Amino acid sequence: MIKNFKWLLLASLSLSIACSDDDSDSTGQVPVSPGSADFSKYIALGDSFAAGYSDNALFKKGQENAYTTILAQQFQLVGGGAFAVPYMNDNIGGLLFGGTPNPSFGPRIYLQGFLNASTPNVQPVTGPPTTEVFSHLTGSFNNLGLPGAKSYHLLIPGYGNPAGLATNPPTSNPYFVRFASAPGTSVIADAVAQSPTFFSLWIGGNDVLGYASSGGVGVNQTGNLNPATYGSNDITDPTVFENAYNNLVNTLTANGAKGVVANLPYINTLPYFTTVPYNPVPALPPANAAQLNQIFGAINQIAAAGNMPARFSVLTADDGNPATVEATNPLLIIDETLQNLATPIASALTPVLGAQTATFVGNLYGRARHAKKVVPTPQNPDVVPFVDYVLLPTRALIGTIQAGVPAPFNTVGVTYPLQDGAVLTNAEVAEVRTATDAYNTTIQNAASTKGLALVDTKAIMTQLLNGGIRFGNYHMTASYITGGTFSLDGIHPSARGYAYLANQFLKAIGATYGSSIPEVNPGNYQIQYPQSLN
């Protein structure tokens, strides 16, 4: 059906690693002063970002380059104390549960090369993990960042209880099981037990990330105030988030500690969602294009008869001229918000295809449509945005053959719709944005009420998407692999990205508390980890 699948290009795979342009983001010498803050006991709370997660895993080198670790190093210039980190045992990543590797916590990934000019070959590193969850670490730890943690998880007693890993669903976090002070403790309890003088809190991303990264396979729990009933991929109710967040901030500041918090970017602006284009399908052979346009045109007419908008675009056919560059075609996807037209499709197509085939087509395309990307332009500034986001792992599915489905209806993304979980649809994006906006209002209010420093990561992400950020001889963008900001998982920062974030935290701290703490040079931090790390 498709003439060439080397078209699986990555939409943002354009070189932007280095640039000779300077900006005002200097890392030169500055007077050193803590201002009104006391950094002698710094505690970091948060999720995978605080932990230093990168390249789809938590590993020692990543932890060393976490923004929290970098902050602690810089705080030591103004009276900061030791910063204990619950380091992983190796640079492989992954976890052992009772001596057995747990497939849910695999090794880190690395860039092995390129399959062609623009398709990266990303592979897991080899070697067995050596970090055993049930080998408990002793002592207190300053970095309480936990991959997978949602806002309310930081308050739950027993979140580090080994027994909670055996329940269905699990009620504890394996990373916290490794170093929790006691089985029944909570993250916030372990934090305040150390009497912090300064804290960082960046939490809330996972309250929507599971839903978004699974392509909307989850439940929007807005209106459900009982998080004990939530699944891992559900969106946290904004009131639940507000109560949890305010509880965290009130507890951390109760004894006079100062701190810095960060708001949340829109999850769908990360490379995990923006790299694979909505329309990567090349021009089709003329006979195939004609057949599909006939079927899809008939379904559009059925939709129009029901006062529904068209669901399918007119597909472009290959004109056979090698010199011609035809427009690419959009992906075929399932949209569960659509009215199911299986029955009218079968009725309309039975005279043409026969009852059996028409029924099959009706069931296949009853809730199908072509992916879309409609955004405002200078020529049409008032257009209502409508964007579907194809998930990064979906690139491996496009153009493959769906087992058990007869030809020609078995080419994934072309004649066989990408299923729920492969794409974050426009409607699902709206749910994520609404929740994120509510969370950010809570964070802003808490920062204002308590006089805390606030890092605007939402604005940072917008800047990375729209032209990028220049410092020294470098240019960082949100592009996958080449942008320098994000790791190979498309969600978590690279070492350089974490260094840049640490500087933004230092700027916010300085603006709020009058401190003057030297920033680090992000150019000294790598954008990719090699296959082998010591």
Side-chain angles (χ1 to χ4, degrees), residues 174-198:
Y175 295 102
F176 194 40
V177 167
R178 292 186 64 227
F179 67 91
S181 63
T185 192
S186 65
V187 176
I188 188 63
D190 275 8
V192 297
Q194 299 179 66
S195 300
T197 61
F198 194 87

Side-chain angles (χ1 to χ4, degrees), residues 65-90:
N65 289 324
Y67 79 87
T68 48
T69 306
I70 296 171
L71 285 178
Q73 293 167 353
Q74 299 309 104
F75 290 163
Q76 289 175 357
L77 301 175
V78 290
F83 188 73
V85 178
Y87 282 114
M88 300 286 281
N89 291 351
D90 55 51

Side-chain angles (χ1 to χ4, degrees), residues 200-450:
S200 63
L201 176 64
W202 192 8
I203 194 71
N206 286 326
D207 290 75
V208 291
L209 178 60
Y211 182 85
S213 62
S214 67
V217 178
V219 177
N220 184 352
Q221 294 286 1
T222 298
N224 179 1
L225 301 182
N226 182 10
T229 63
Y230 293 2
S232 60
N233 290 339
D234 292 353
I235 296 176
T236 301
D237 172 83
T239 300
V240 169
F241 179 88
E242 180 180 23
N243 291 337
Y245 198 88
N246 288 336
N247 192 334
L248 291 168
V249 169
N250 289 338
T251 303
L252 288 166
T253 58
N255 292 324
K258 294 179 170 61
V260 57
V261 298
N263 66 9
L264 307 170
Y266 290 134
I267 293 295
N268 58 282
T269 59
L270 301 174
Y272 188 89
F273 302 93
T274 60
T275 298
V276 182
Y278 80 99
N279 61 339
V281 181
L284 303 176
N288 300 130
Q291 180 186 42
L292 290 173
N293 283 332
Q294 180 182 18
I295 294 174
F296 293 155
I299 298 174
N300 281 343
Q301 291 178 7
I302 293 169
N307 295 317
M308 291 174 278
R311 299 185 177 187
F312 302 98
S313 304
V314 176
L315 297 173
T316 302
D318 181 8
D319 66 3
N321 183 353
T324 303
V325 179
E326 297 97 351
T328 55
N329 292 305
L331 290 165
L332 185 64
I333 68 173
I334 288 294
D335 185 342
E336 293 182 329
T337 67
L338 297 177
Q339 180 178 330
N340 193 338
L341 298 179
T343 299
I345 291 172
S347 298
L349 295 181
T350 293
V352 179
L353 302 177
Q356 184 175 1
T357 301
T359 299
F360 170 81
V361 171
N363 290 329
L364 185 64
Y365 297 147
R367 282 182 169 157
R369 64 173 175 84
H370 279 132
K372 294 173 60 177
K373 182 178 182 180
V374 179
V375 295
T377 65
Q379 295 76 25
N380 295 289
D382 298 325
V383 67
V384 177
F386 189 109
V387 183
D388 299 308
Y389 294 88
V390 185
L391 307 188
L392 186 60
T394 301
R395 73 187 191 273
L397 300 176
I398 301 170
T400 60
I401 300 302
Q402 181 66 32
V405 177
F409 301 106
N410 57 352
T411 304
V412 176
V414 183
T415 59
Y416 184 85
L418 287 165
Q419 301 297 295
D420 190 29
V423 178
L424 190 68
T425 66
N426 183 72
E428 292 164 341
V429 170
E431 293 181 293
V432 171
R433 291 173 70 95
T434 297
T436 302
D437 287 343
Y439 302 164
N440 281 342
T441 297
T442 292
I443 295 168
Q444 175 69 65
N445 290 342
S448 298
T449 300
K450 296 294 184 178

Side-chain angles (χ1 to χ4, degrees), residues 466-494:
N466 297 285
I469 295 165
R470 302 181 189 278
F471 65 93
N473 292 325
Y474 298 93
H475 182 201
M476 295 171 61
T477 73
S479 296
Y480 184 59
I481 295 181
T482 58
T485 309
F486 290 93
S487 72
L488 295 172
D489 61 33
I491 292 175
H492 300 90
S494 63

Side-chain angles (χ1 to χ4, degrees), residues 70-154:
I70 296 171
L71 285 178
Q73 293 167 353
Q74 299 309 104
F75 290 163
Q76 289 175 357
L77 301 175
V78 290
F83 188 73
V85 178
Y87 282 114
M88 300 286 281
N89 291 351
D90 55 51
N91 281 311
I92 296 172
L95 293 173
L96 298 173
F97 280 48
T100 302
N102 188 315
S104 296
F105 303 90
R108 67 181 175 91
I109 53 180
Y110 75 102
L111 181 64
Q112 191 177 66
F114 285 81
L115 299 174
N116 56 51
S118 52
T119 304
N121 183 15
V122 177
Q123 297 293 332
V125 298
T126 57
T130 62
T131 303
E132 172 58 60
V133 169
F134 301 117
S135 293
H136 192 264
L137 303 178
T138 58
S140 299
F141 293 92
N142 300 68
N143 192 340
L144 298 175
L146 295 172
K150 299 186 179 186
S151 56
Y152 54 87
H153 286 150
L154 304 188

